[in-house]
Amino acid sequence: MRWPDAPWSARCFANTFAHRVLHKALFALAMALCLVATFAGGHEGGPSLAASTAHEWPREWDGAPLRPLALSAVEARFARQFPGDIARMTDERHLYVLRHVVRPTRMLHPAADCYRALGWRIERTRLERDEQARLWRCFHARRDTSGALRVCERIEDAAGQAFTDTSAWYWAGVGGRSTGPWQAVTVVTPL
């Protein structure tokens, strides 16, 4: 086919080396623009104005006064990218990891995944109700050198709806069946 006689679409999309390079370069530019827009807009993985505002944490949990604890270096690095705020607290019996979440995110994942990644064995996963009739997902985490922990977690939305499964929470938030901000609580108790 000769170029002058070929229709415009055939000339533009002909399978030549130059066209393949040009199309790949345009695709790479579009991907780069999407990445810039994601971080500039404060979407998943990037900081946002809402995520950078300080959240007021509870001063007590179930009647016990809470004392703030510093985040570890790893937790602080994670918190800089998290769409919300993260705090660690203790009532001298339990460790509380509190997360104030401003939008649905895959960065909020099950505590069991974190413990497994750190080398803990996860046992006895089950749903439990506490003294206030709140439903929690609980498990035991064991590691030979560190003993055992009881870990319970739940997520509550702005309307009081609770979730014990982070995937169910995520899809409810994305689908508009749950509105934020959300509070995710993980309670760790040494056994």
PDB file of all heavy atoms in Angstrom, residues 106-138:
ATOM      1  N   ARG A 106      -6.988   0.341  50.259  1.00  0.00           N
ATOM      2  CA  ARG A 106      -6.426  -1.001  50.425  1.00  0.00           C
ATOM      3  C   ARG A 106      -5.252  -0.980  51.397  1.00  0.00           C
ATOM      4  O   ARG A 106      -4.686  -2.009  51.730  1.00  0.00           O
ATOM      5  CB  ARG A 106      -5.982  -1.572  49.076  1.00  0.00           C
ATOM      6  CG  ARG A 106      -7.142  -1.986  48.209  1.00  0.00           C
ATOM      7  CD  ARG A 106      -7.894  -3.093  48.861  1.00  0.00           C
ATOM      8  NE  ARG A 106      -8.882  -3.673  47.981  1.00  0.00           N
ATOM      9  CZ  ARG A 106      -9.719  -4.603  48.344  1.00  0.00           C
ATOM     10  NH1 ARG A 106      -9.705  -5.053  49.577  1.00  0.00           N
ATOM     11  NH2 ARG A 106     -10.584  -5.085  47.508  1.00  0.00           N
ATOM     12  N   MET A 107      -4.874   0.210  51.874  1.00  0.00           N
ATOM     13  CA  MET A 107      -3.805   0.305  52.869  1.00  0.00           C
ATOM     14  C   MET A 107      -4.300  -0.107  54.253  1.00  0.00           C
ATOM     15  O   MET A 107      -3.494  -0.307  55.164  1.00  0.00           O
ATOM     16  CB  MET A 107      -3.217   1.712  52.907  1.00  0.00           C
ATOM     17  CG  MET A 107      -2.454   2.066  51.641  1.00  0.00           C
ATOM     18  SD  MET A 107      -1.711   3.696  51.737  1.00  0.00           S
ATOM     19  CE  MET A 107      -0.318   3.348  52.808  1.00  0.00           C
ATOM     20  N   LEU A 108      -5.601  -0.209  54.422  1.00  0.00           N
ATOM     21  CA  LEU A 108      -6.171  -0.731  55.661  1.00  0.00           C
ATOM     22  C   LEU A 108      -6.457  -2.205  55.405  1.00  0.00           C
ATOM     23  O   LEU A 108      -7.371  -2.551  54.672  1.00  0.00           O
ATOM     24  CB  LEU A 108      -7.461   0.014  56.027  1.00  0.00           C
ATOM     25  CG  LEU A 108      -8.128  -0.429  57.330  1.00  0.00           C
ATOM     26  CD1 LEU A 108      -7.214  -0.151  58.516  1.00  0.00           C
ATOM     27  CD2 LEU A 108      -9.448   0.285  57.511  1.00  0.00           C
ATOM     28  N   HIS A 109      -5.633  -3.059  55.973  1.00  0.00           N
ATOM     29  CA  HIS A 109      -5.757  -4.488  55.713  1.00  0.00           C
ATOM     30  C   HIS A 109      -5.833  -5.239  57.033  1.00  0.00           C
ATOM     31  O   HIS A 109      -5.581  -4.668  58.092  1.00  0.00           O
ATOM     32  CB  HIS A 109      -4.592  -4.983  54.849  1.00  0.00           C
ATOM     33  CG  HIS A 109      -3.259  -4.535  55.335  1.00  0.00           C
ATOM     34  ND1 HIS A 109      -2.696  -3.341  54.950  1.00  0.00           N
ATOM     35  CD2 HIS A 109      -2.398  -5.101  56.191  1.00  0.00           C
ATOM     36  CE1 HIS A 109      -1.540  -3.202  55.552  1.00  0.00           C
ATOM     37  NE2 HIS A 109      -1.332  -4.240  56.314  1.00  0.00           N
ATOM     38  N   PRO A 110      -6.208  -6.507  57.003  1.00  0.00           N
ATOM     39  CA  PRO A 110      -6.380  -7.276  58.243  1.00  0.00           C
ATOM     40  C   PRO A 110      -5.094  -7.347  59.064  1.00  0.00           C
ATOM     41  O   PRO A 110      -3.998  -7.511  58.524  1.00  0.00           O
ATOM     42  CB  PRO A 110      -6.779  -8.670  57.761  1.00  0.00           C
ATOM     43  CG  PRO A 110      -7.268  -8.484  56.371  1.00  0.00           C
ATOM     44  CD  PRO A 110      -6.531  -7.305  55.812  1.00  0.00           C
ATOM     45  N   ALA A 111      -5.237  -7.247  60.373  1.00  0.00           N
ATOM     46  CA  ALA A 111      -4.078  -7.343  61.269  1.00  0.00           C
ATOM     47  C   ALA A 111      -3.380  -8.690  61.103  1.00  0.00           C
ATOM     48  O   ALA A 111      -2.158  -8.777  61.235  1.00  0.00           O
ATOM     49  CB  ALA A 111      -4.519  -7.136  62.709  1.00  0.00           C
ATOM     50  N   ALA A 112      -4.131  -9.728  60.810  1.00  0.00           N
ATOM     51  CA  ALA A 112      -3.521 -11.053  60.630  1.00  0.00           C
ATOM     52  C   ALA A 112      -2.484 -11.026  59.507  1.00  0.00           C
ATOM     53  O   ALA A 112      -1.445 -11.690  59.603  1.00  0.00           O
ATOM     54  CB  ALA A 112      -4.595 -12.098  60.337  1.00  0.00           C
ATOM     55  N   ASP A 113      -2.736 -10.248  58.461  1.00  0.00           N
ATOM     56  CA  ASP A 113      -1.759 -10.138  57.364  1.00  0.00           C
ATOM     57  C   ASP A 113      -0.456  -9.526  57.863  1.00  0.00           C
ATOM     58  O   ASP A 113       0.637  -9.969  57.488  1.00  0.00           O
ATOM     59  CB  ASP A 113      -2.323  -9.299  56.220  1.00  0.00           C
ATOM     60  CG  ASP A 113      -3.462  -9.984  55.491  1.00  0.00           C
ATOM     61  OD1 ASP A 113      -3.774 -11.151  55.801  1.00  0.00           O
ATOM     62  OD2 ASP A 113      -4.059  -9.329  54.608  1.00  0.00           O
ATOM     63  N   CYS A 114      -0.556  -8.489  58.698  1.00  0.00           N
ATOM     64  CA  CYS A 114       0.648  -7.847  59.258  1.00  0.00           C
ATOM     65  C   CYS A 114       1.424  -8.835  60.119  1.00  0.00           C
ATOM     66  O   CYS A 114       2.647  -8.946  60.001  1.00  0.00           O
ATOM     67  CB  CYS A 114       0.270  -6.639  60.099  1.00  0.00           C
ATOM     68  SG  CYS A 114      -0.416  -5.277  59.170  1.00  0.00           S
ATOM     69  N   TYR A 115       0.723  -9.529  60.996  1.00  0.00           N
ATOM     70  CA  TYR A 115       1.400 -10.462  61.892  1.00  0.00           C
ATOM     71  C   TYR A 115       2.049 -11.601  61.124  1.00  0.00           C
ATOM     72  O   TYR A 115       3.169 -12.002  61.423  1.00  0.00           O
ATOM     73  CB  TYR A 115       0.434 -10.980  62.969  1.00  0.00           C
ATOM     74  CG  TYR A 115       0.281  -9.999  64.093  1.00  0.00           C
ATOM     75  CD1 TYR A 115      -0.708  -9.021  64.055  1.00  0.00           C
ATOM     76  CD2 TYR A 115       1.130 -10.019  65.194  1.00  0.00           C
ATOM     77  CE1 TYR A 115      -0.846  -8.098  65.078  1.00  0.00           C
ATOM     78  CE2 TYR A 115       1.002  -9.107  66.218  1.00  0.00           C
ATOM     79  CZ  TYR A 115       0.016  -8.142  66.156  1.00  0.00           C
ATOM     80  OH  TYR A 115      -0.103  -7.229  67.161  1.00  0.00           O
ATOM     81  N   ARG A 116       1.358 -12.133  60.108  1.00  0.00           N
ATOM     82  CA  ARG A 116       1.949 -13.194  59.286  1.00  0.00           C
ATOM     83  C   ARG A 116       3.224 -12.692  58.613  1.00  0.00           C
ATOM     84  O   ARG A 116       4.232 -13.395  58.569  1.00  0.00           O
ATOM     85  CB  ARG A 116       0.969 -13.658  58.214  1.00  0.00           C
ATOM     86  CG  ARG A 116       0.039 -14.723  58.656  1.00  0.00           C
ATOM     87  CD  ARG A 116      -0.720 -15.339  57.475  1.00  0.00           C
ATOM     88  NE  ARG A 116      -1.932 -15.918  57.956  1.00  0.00           N
ATOM     89  CZ  ARG A 116      -3.136 -15.331  57.929  1.00  0.00           C
ATOM     90  NH1 ARG A 116      -3.290 -14.140  57.405  1.00  0.00           N
ATOM     91  NH2 ARG A 116      -4.186 -15.950  58.419  1.00  0.00           N
ATOM     92  N   ALA A 117       3.174 -11.468  58.081  1.00  0.00           N
ATOM     93  CA  ALA A 117       4.344 -10.909  57.393  1.00  0.00           C
ATOM     94  C   ALA A 117       5.527 -10.744  58.338  1.00  0.00           C
ATOM     95  O   ALA A 117       6.678 -10.771  57.902  1.00  0.00           O
ATOM     96  CB  ALA A 117       3.981  -9.569  56.765  1.00  0.00           C
ATOM     97  N   LEU A 118       5.253 -10.578  59.625  1.00  0.00           N
ATOM     98  CA  LEU A 118       6.318 -10.423  60.616  1.00  0.00           C
ATOM     99  C   LEU A 118       6.748 -11.757  61.233  1.00  0.00           C
ATOM    100  O   LEU A 118       7.537 -11.780  62.178  1.00  0.00           O
ATOM    101  CB  LEU A 118       5.861  -9.465  61.720  1.00  0.00           C
ATOM    102  CG  LEU A 118       5.656  -8.026  61.259  1.00  0.00           C
ATOM    103  CD1 LEU A 118       4.988  -7.212  62.360  1.00  0.00           C
ATOM    104  CD2 LEU A 118       6.975  -7.407  60.841  1.00  0.00           C
ATOM    105  N   GLY A 119       6.213 -12.860  60.716  1.00  0.00           N
ATOM    106  CA  GLY A 119       6.652 -14.180  61.163  1.00  0.00           C
ATOM    107  C   GLY A 119       5.814 -14.824  62.249  1.00  0.00           C
ATOM    108  O   GLY A 119       6.218 -15.837  62.816  1.00  0.00           O
ATOM    109  N   TRP A 120       4.661 -14.271  62.574  1.00  0.00           N
ATOM    110  CA  TRP A 120       3.791 -14.851  63.597  1.00  0.00           C
ATOM    111  C   TRP A 120       2.901 -15.916  62.965  1.00  0.00           C
ATOM    112  O   TRP A 120       2.513 -15.804  61.807  1.00  0.00           O
ATOM    113  CB  TRP A 120       2.915 -13.773  64.227  1.00  0.00           C
ATOM    114  CG  TRP A 120       3.663 -12.744  65.011  1.00  0.00           C
ATOM    115  CD1 TRP A 120       4.365 -11.686  64.511  1.00  0.00           C
ATOM    116  CD2 TRP A 120       3.764 -12.656  66.427  1.00  0.00           C
ATOM    117  NE1 TRP A 120       4.902 -10.942  65.532  1.00  0.00           N
ATOM    118  CE2 TRP A 120       4.545 -11.518  66.728  1.00  0.00           C
ATOM    119  CE3 TRP A 120       3.266 -13.426  67.476  1.00  0.00           C
ATOM    120  CZ2 TRP A 120       4.840 -11.134  68.023  1.00  0.00           C
ATOM    121  CZ3 TRP A 120       3.560 -13.036  68.781  1.00  0.00           C
ATOM    122  CH2 TRP A 120       4.342 -11.914  69.046  1.00  0.00           C
ATOM    123  N   ARG A 121       2.558 -16.932  63.738  1.00  0.00           N
ATOM    124  CA  ARG A 121       1.564 -17.929  63.325  1.00  0.00           C
ATOM    125  C   ARG A 121       0.198 -17.435  63.796  1.00  0.00           C
ATOM    126  O   ARG A 121       0.041 -17.023  64.947  1.00  0.00           O
ATOM    127  CB  ARG A 121       1.856 -19.294  63.939  1.00  0.00           C
ATOM    128  CG  ARG A 121       3.046 -19.999  63.355  1.00  0.00           C
ATOM    129  CD  ARG A 121       3.208 -21.414  63.911  1.00  0.00           C
ATOM    130  NE  ARG A 121       2.938 -21.575  65.331  1.00  0.00           N
ATOM    131  CZ  ARG A 121       3.815 -21.353  66.317  1.00  0.00           C
ATOM    132  NH1 ARG A 121       5.038 -20.961  66.026  1.00  0.00           N
ATOM    133  NH2 ARG A 121       3.487 -21.532  67.576  1.00  0.00           N
ATOM    134  N   ILE A 122      -0.787 -17.520  62.948  1.00  0.00           N
ATOM    135  CA  ILE A 122      -2.140 -17.079  63.284  1.00  0.00           C
ATOM    136  C   ILE A 122      -2.977 -18.306  63.603  1.00  0.00           C
ATOM    137  O   ILE A 122      -3.039 -19.257  62.819  1.00  0.00           O
ATOM    138  CB  ILE A 122      -2.773 -16.287  62.120  1.00  0.00           C
ATOM    139  CG1 ILE A 122      -1.864 -15.126  61.708  1.00  0.00           C
ATOM    140  CG2 ILE A 122      -4.166 -15.814  62.470  1.00  0.00           C
ATOM    141  CD1 ILE A 122      -1.513 -14.171  62.826  1.00  0.00           C
ATOM    142  N   GLU A 123      -3.627 -18.283  64.779  1.00  0.00           N
ATOM    143  CA  GLU A 123      -4.439 -19.419  65.235  1.00  0.00           C
ATOM    144  C   GLU A 123      -5.764 -18.905  65.788  1.00  0.00           C
ATOM    145  O   GLU A 123      -5.870 -17.762  66.203  1.00  0.00           O
ATOM    146  CB  GLU A 123      -3.704 -20.168  66.353  1.00  0.00           C
ATOM    147  CG  GLU A 123      -2.337 -20.655  65.976  1.00  0.00           C
ATOM    148  CD  GLU A 123      -1.548 -21.172  67.177  1.00  0.00           C
ATOM    149  OE1 GLU A 123      -1.977 -20.937  68.335  1.00  0.00           O
ATOM    150  OE2 GLU A 123      -0.503 -21.804  66.955  1.00  0.00           O
ATOM    151  N   ARG A 124      -6.737 -19.768  65.818  1.00  0.00           N
ATOM    152  CA  ARG A 124      -8.025 -19.541  66.486  1.00  0.00           C
ATOM    153  C   ARG A 124      -8.728 -18.268  66.020  1.00  0.00           C
ATOM    154  O   ARG A 124      -9.243 -17.507  66.835  1.00  0.00           O
ATOM    155  CB  ARG A 124      -7.825 -19.517  68.004  1.00  0.00           C
ATOM    156  CG  ARG A 124      -7.286 -20.828  68.554  1.00  0.00           C
ATOM    157  CD  ARG A 124      -7.123 -20.821  70.035  1.00  0.00           C
ATOM    158  NE  ARG A 124      -8.410 -20.529  70.676  1.00  0.00           N
ATOM    159  CZ  ARG A 124      -8.539 -20.246  71.957  1.00  0.00           C
ATOM    160  NH1 ARG A 124      -7.484 -20.193  72.732  1.00  0.00           N
ATOM    161  NH2 ARG A 124      -9.714 -20.010  72.470  1.00  0.00           N
ATOM    162  N   THR A 125      -8.778 -18.049  64.737  1.00  0.00           N
ATOM    163  CA  THR A 125      -9.496 -16.888  64.208  1.00  0.00           C
ATOM    164  C   THR A 125     -10.992 -17.117  64.374  1.00  0.00           C
ATOM    165  O   THR A 125     -11.513 -18.179  64.033  1.00  0.00           O
ATOM    166  CB  THR A 125      -9.161 -16.672  62.718  1.00  0.00           C
ATOM    167  OG1 THR A 125      -7.748 -16.475  62.610  1.00  0.00           O
ATOM    168  CG2 THR A 125      -9.894 -15.484  62.149  1.00  0.00           C
ATOM    169  N   ARG A 126     -11.683 -16.123  64.928  1.00  0.00           N
ATOM    170  CA  ARG A 126     -13.125 -16.259  65.178  1.00  0.00           C
ATOM    171  C   ARG A 126     -13.723 -14.877  65.411  1.00  0.00           C
ATOM    172  O   ARG A 126     -13.021 -13.904  65.662  1.00  0.00           O
ATOM    173  CB  ARG A 126     -13.369 -17.144  66.386  1.00  0.00           C
ATOM    174  CG  ARG A 126     -12.810 -16.546  67.664  1.00  0.00           C
ATOM    175  CD  ARG A 126     -12.538 -17.590  68.722  1.00  0.00           C
ATOM    176  NE  ARG A 126     -11.809 -17.041  69.840  1.00  0.00           N
ATOM    177  CZ  ARG A 126     -10.496 -16.871  69.883  1.00  0.00           C
ATOM    178  NH1 ARG A 126      -9.760 -17.189  68.854  1.00  0.00           N
ATOM    179  NH2 ARG A 126      -9.905 -16.377  70.947  1.00  0.00           N
ATOM    180  N   LEU A 127     -15.051 -14.820  65.370  1.00  0.00           N
ATOM    181  CA  LEU A 127     -15.776 -13.602  65.720  1.00  0.00           C
ATOM    182  C   LEU A 127     -16.185 -13.688  67.180  1.00  0.00           C
ATOM    183  O   LEU A 127     -16.610 -14.744  67.643  1.00  0.00           O
ATOM    184  CB  LEU A 127     -17.007 -13.433  64.834  1.00  0.00           C
ATOM    185  CG  LEU A 127     -16.744 -13.215  63.350  1.00  0.00           C
ATOM    186  CD1 LEU A 127     -18.053 -13.146  62.579  1.00  0.00           C
ATOM    187  CD2 LEU A 127     -15.924 -11.963  63.118  1.00  0.00           C
ATOM    188  N   GLU A 128     -16.059 -12.568  67.894  1.00  0.00           N
ATOM    189  CA  GLU A 128     -16.417 -12.529  69.317  1.00  0.00           C
ATOM    190  C   GLU A 128     -17.156 -11.241  69.623  1.00  0.00           C
ATOM    191  O   GLU A 128     -16.925 -10.221  68.994  1.00  0.00           O
ATOM    192  CB  GLU A 128     -15.153 -12.555  70.190  1.00  0.00           C
ATOM    193  CG  GLU A 128     -14.357 -13.808  70.132  1.00  0.00           C
ATOM    194  CD  GLU A 128     -13.148 -13.750  71.050  1.00  0.00           C
ATOM    195  OE1 GLU A 128     -13.047 -12.819  71.892  1.00  0.00           O
ATOM    196  OE2 GLU A 128     -12.290 -14.630  70.926  1.00  0.00           O
ATOM    197  N   ARG A 129     -18.026 -11.304  70.622  1.00  0.00           N
ATOM    198  CA  ARG A 129     -18.689 -10.103  71.148  1.00  0.00           C
ATOM    199  C   ARG A 129     -18.053  -9.743  72.480  1.00  0.00           C
ATOM    200  O   ARG A 129     -17.785 -10.613  73.296  1.00  0.00           O
ATOM    201  CB  ARG A 129     -20.179 -10.330  71.329  1.00  0.00           C
ATOM    202  CG  ARG A 129     -20.895 -10.471  70.000  1.00  0.00           C
ATOM    203  CD  ARG A 129     -22.322  -9.985  70.097  1.00  0.00           C
ATOM    204  NE  ARG A 129     -22.988 -10.155  68.820  1.00  0.00           N
ATOM    205  CZ  ARG A 129     -23.058  -9.203  67.895  1.00  0.00           C
ATOM    206  NH1 ARG A 129     -22.529  -8.033  68.108  1.00  0.00           N
ATOM    207  NH2 ARG A 129     -23.690  -9.427  66.763  1.00  0.00           N
ATOM    208  N   ASP A 130     -17.837  -8.448  72.700  1.00  0.00           N
ATOM    209  CA  ASP A 130     -17.277  -8.008  73.981  1.00  0.00           C
ATOM    210  C   ASP A 130     -18.401  -7.668  74.952  1.00  0.00           C
ATOM    211  O   ASP A 130     -19.586  -7.886  74.667  1.00  0.00           O
ATOM    212  CB  ASP A 130     -16.308  -6.841  73.778  1.00  0.00           C
ATOM    213  CG  ASP A 130     -16.976  -5.582  73.239  1.00  0.00           C
ATOM    214  OD1 ASP A 130     -18.223  -5.502  73.198  1.00  0.00           O
ATOM    215  OD2 ASP A 130     -16.241  -4.654  72.851  1.00  0.00           O
ATOM    216  N   GLU A 131     -18.044  -7.113  76.105  1.00  0.00           N
ATOM    217  CA  GLU A 131     -19.024  -6.790  77.150  1.00  0.00           C
ATOM    218  C   GLU A 131     -20.046  -5.754  76.691  1.00  0.00           C
ATOM    219  O   GLU A 131     -21.152  -5.676  77.214  1.00  0.00           O
ATOM    220  CB  GLU A 131     -18.308  -6.283  78.416  1.00  0.00           C
ATOM    221  CG  GLU A 131     -17.429  -7.311  79.091  1.00  0.00           C
ATOM    222  CD  GLU A 131     -16.051  -7.422  78.415  1.00  0.00           C
ATOM    223  OE1 GLU A 131     -15.612  -6.471  77.731  1.00  0.00           O
ATOM    224  OE2 GLU A 131     -15.427  -8.482  78.561  1.00  0.00           O
ATOM    225  N   GLN A 132     -19.680  -4.934  75.716  1.00  0.00           N
ATOM    226  CA  GLN A 132     -20.602  -3.923  75.179  1.00  0.00           C
ATOM    227  C   GLN A 132     -21.365  -4.443  73.958  1.00  0.00           C
ATOM    228  O   GLN A 132     -22.008  -3.669  73.256  1.00  0.00           O
ATOM    229  CB  GLN A 132     -19.831  -2.645  74.784  1.00  0.00           C
ATOM    230  CG  GLN A 132     -19.289  -1.864  75.961  1.00  0.00           C
ATOM    231  CD  GLN A 132     -18.056  -2.517  76.580  1.00  0.00           C
ATOM    232  OE1 GLN A 132     -17.302  -3.210  75.912  1.00  0.00           O
ATOM    233  NE2 GLN A 132     -17.887  -2.312  77.867  1.00  0.00           N
ATOM    234  N   ALA A 133     -21.291  -5.724  73.695  1.00  0.00           N
ATOM    235  CA  ALA A 133     -21.967  -6.398  72.583  1.00  0.00           C
ATOM    236  C   ALA A 133     -21.427  -5.981  71.218  1.00  0.00           C
ATOM    237  O   ALA A 133     -22.074  -6.181  70.203  1.00  0.00           O
ATOM    238  CB  ALA A 133     -23.480  -6.203  72.649  1.00  0.00           C
ATOM    239  N   ARG A 134     -20.216  -5.414  71.177  1.00  0.00           N
ATOM    240  CA  ARG A 134     -19.574  -5.078  69.899  1.00  0.00           C
ATOM    241  C   ARG A 134     -18.953  -6.342  69.321  1.00  0.00           C
ATOM    242  O   ARG A 134     -18.352  -7.134  70.053  1.00  0.00           O
ATOM    243  CB  ARG A 134     -18.486  -4.013  70.097  1.00  0.00           C
ATOM    244  CG  ARG A 134     -19.017  -2.685  70.580  1.00  0.00           C
ATOM    245  CD  ARG A 134     -17.893  -1.722  70.867  1.00  0.00           C
ATOM    246  NE  ARG A 134     -17.059  -2.255  71.947  1.00  0.00           N
ATOM    247  CZ  ARG A 134     -16.331  -1.513  72.756  1.00  0.00           C
ATOM    248  NH1 ARG A 134     -16.309  -0.200  72.643  1.00  0.00           N
ATOM    249  NH2 ARG A 134     -15.600  -2.076  73.713  1.00  0.00           N
ATOM    250  N   LEU A 135     -19.083  -6.502  68.013  1.00  0.00           N
ATOM    251  CA  LEU A 135     -18.536  -7.672  67.328  1.00  0.00           C
ATOM    252  C   LEU A 135     -17.114  -7.373  66.866  1.00  0.00           C
ATOM    253  O   LEU A 135     -16.848  -6.316  66.293  1.00  0.00           O
ATOM    254  CB  LEU A 135     -19.414  -8.037  66.135  1.00  0.00           C
ATOM    255  CG  LEU A 135     -19.122  -9.370  65.454  1.00  0.00           C
ATOM    256  CD1 LEU A 135     -19.318 -10.541  66.423  1.00  0.00           C
ATOM    257  CD2 LEU A 135     -20.019  -9.541  64.231  1.00  0.00           C
ATOM    258  N   TRP A 136     -16.189  -8.311  67.133  1.00  0.00           N
ATOM    259  CA  TRP A 136     -14.782  -8.181  66.782  1.00  0.00           C
ATOM    260  C   TRP A 136     -14.321  -9.432  66.049  1.00  0.00           C
ATOM    261  O   TRP A 136     -14.809 -10.522  66.311  1.00  0.00           O
ATOM    262  CB  TRP A 136     -13.915  -8.056  68.040  1.00  0.00           C
ATOM    263  CG  TRP A 136     -14.178  -6.851  68.872  1.00  0.00           C
ATOM    264  CD1 TRP A 136     -15.199  -6.665  69.753  1.00  0.00           C
ATOM    265  CD2 TRP A 136     -13.393  -5.663  68.912  1.00  0.00           C
ATOM    266  NE1 TRP A 136     -15.088  -5.435  70.340  1.00  0.00           N
ATOM    267  CE2 TRP A 136     -13.983  -4.791  69.850  1.00  0.00           C
ATOM    268  CE3 TRP A 136     -12.227  -5.247  68.260  1.00  0.00           C
ATOM    269  CZ2 TRP A 136     -13.459  -3.544  70.137  1.00  0.00           C
ATOM    270  CZ3 TRP A 136     -11.711  -4.003  68.559  1.00  0.00           C
ATOM    271  CH2 TRP A 136     -12.320  -3.163  69.479  1.00  0.00           C
ATOM    272  N   ARG A 137     -13.343  -9.292  65.168  1.00  0.00           N
ATOM    273  CA  ARG A 137     -12.631 -10.441  64.598  1.00  0.00           C
ATOM    274  C   ARG A 137     -11.376 -10.596  65.438  1.00  0.00           C
ATOM    275  O   ARG A 137     -10.580  -9.670  65.548  1.00  0.00           O
ATOM    276  CB  ARG A 137     -12.256 -10.222  63.140  1.00  0.00           C
ATOM    277  CG  ARG A 137     -11.468 -11.400  62.557  1.00  0.00           C
ATOM    278  CD  ARG A 137     -11.215 -11.263  61.071  1.00  0.00           C
ATOM    279  NE  ARG A 137     -12.460 -11.157  60.341  1.00  0.00           N
ATOM    280  CZ  ARG A 137     -13.207 -12.183  59.954  1.00  0.00           C
ATOM    281  NH1 ARG A 137     -12.845 -13.413  60.236  1.00  0.00           N
ATOM    282  NH2 ARG A 137     -14.331 -11.995  59.285  1.00  0.00           N
ATOM    283  N   CYS A 138     -11.207 -11.774  66.054  1.00  0.00           N
ATOM    284  CA  CYS A 138     -10.095 -12.010  66.970  1.00  0.00           C
ATOM    285  C   CYS A 138      -9.283 -13.223  66.516  1.00  0.00           C
ATOM    286  O   CYS A 138      -9.805 -14.125  65.859  1.00  0.00           O
ATOM    287  CB  CYS A 138     -10.605 -12.258  68.389  1.00  0.00           C
ATOM    288  SG  CYS A 138     -11.514 -10.859  69.086  1.00  0.00           S
TER     289      CYS A 138
END
